[in-house]
């Protein structure tokens, strides 16, 4: 993994038609979704977050890595449940809604709480 860029994620582009129905392809964020079912791994230090990313790359399950590496109260496999816009801090929310179903951030996302690896399990 190359240069550190602070875990920035490209924000989802807002759709023009509002609700307009679900996009079953869901290759991008936005697309009218208002809720995400999300898991995360939170690490205070970037180096620990990168260790967790390596474990994920090695094929260890997200839930197992979350239990071993996450430094917050969501240690039950990192499951945060369903979240709506406004319930998450800015960079976390932008990254979560930009990811497709089943998508994971390619780099940790930095917030005031530390570095998050985010996995979106579903969207509504």
């Amino acid at each position: 993994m190359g240069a550190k860029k602070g875990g920035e994620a490209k924000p989802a582009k807002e759709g023009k038609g509002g609700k307009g129905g679900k996009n079953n392809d869901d290759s991008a964020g936005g697309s009218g979704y208002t809720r995400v079912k999300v898991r995360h791994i939170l690490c205070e230090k970037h180096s620990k977050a990168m260790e967790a990313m390596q474990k994920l790359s090695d094929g260890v399950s997200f839930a197992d890595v979350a239990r071993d590496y996450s430094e917050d109260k969501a240690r039950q496999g990192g499951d945060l449940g369903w979240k709506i816009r406004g319930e998450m801090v800015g960079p976390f929310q932008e990254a979560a809604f930009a990811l497709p179903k089943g998508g994971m951030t390619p780099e940790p996302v930095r917030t005031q709480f530390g570095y998050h690896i985010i996995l979106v399990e579903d969207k509504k």
Side-chain angles (χ1 to χ4, degrees):
M1 298 194 195
K4 295 178 186 175
K5 295 199 178 206
E8 58 202 47
K10 294 179 182 174
K13 293 180 181 174
E14 295 299 324
K16 292 180 181 175
K19 300 191 181 187
K22 290 186 180 179
N23 174 357
N24 290 331
D25 292 334
D26 192 37
S27 58
S31 56
Y33 290 96
T34 59
R35 299 175 63 195
V36 290
K37 187 169 191 288
V38 66
R39 288 183 182 267
H40 82 144
I41 298 167
L42 173 63
C43 301
E44 185 178 322
K45 296 186 178 183
H46 187 264
S47 59
K48 187 171 181 182
M50 294 309 290
E51 283 180 39
M53 293 287 299
Q54 184 59 53
K55 292 286 187 187
L56 294 166
S57 294
D58 292 344
V60 180
S61 78
F62 196 94
D64 287 343
V65 175
R67 276 189 281 277
D68 292 343
Y69 284 83
S70 196
E71 300 172 358
D72 73 334
K73 61 186 177 199
R75 294 188 67 147
Q76 297 77 24
D79 189 5
L80 297 176
W82 286 98
K83 297 290 180 187
I84 61 171
R85 291 184 191 274
E87 286 186 336
M88 302 166 278
V89 294
F92 188 106
Q93 178 172 287
E94 288 175 23
F97 278 97
L99 289 167
K101 291 178 190 176
M104 185 179 79
T105 51
E107 294 182 17
V109 174
R110 186 163 177 22
T111 71
Q112 68 262 39
F113 302 107
Y115 296 88
H116 305 260
I117 302 166
I118 303 166
L119 173 67
V120 172
E121 295 187 309
D122 202 0
K123 294 173 116 173
K124 290 185 180 180

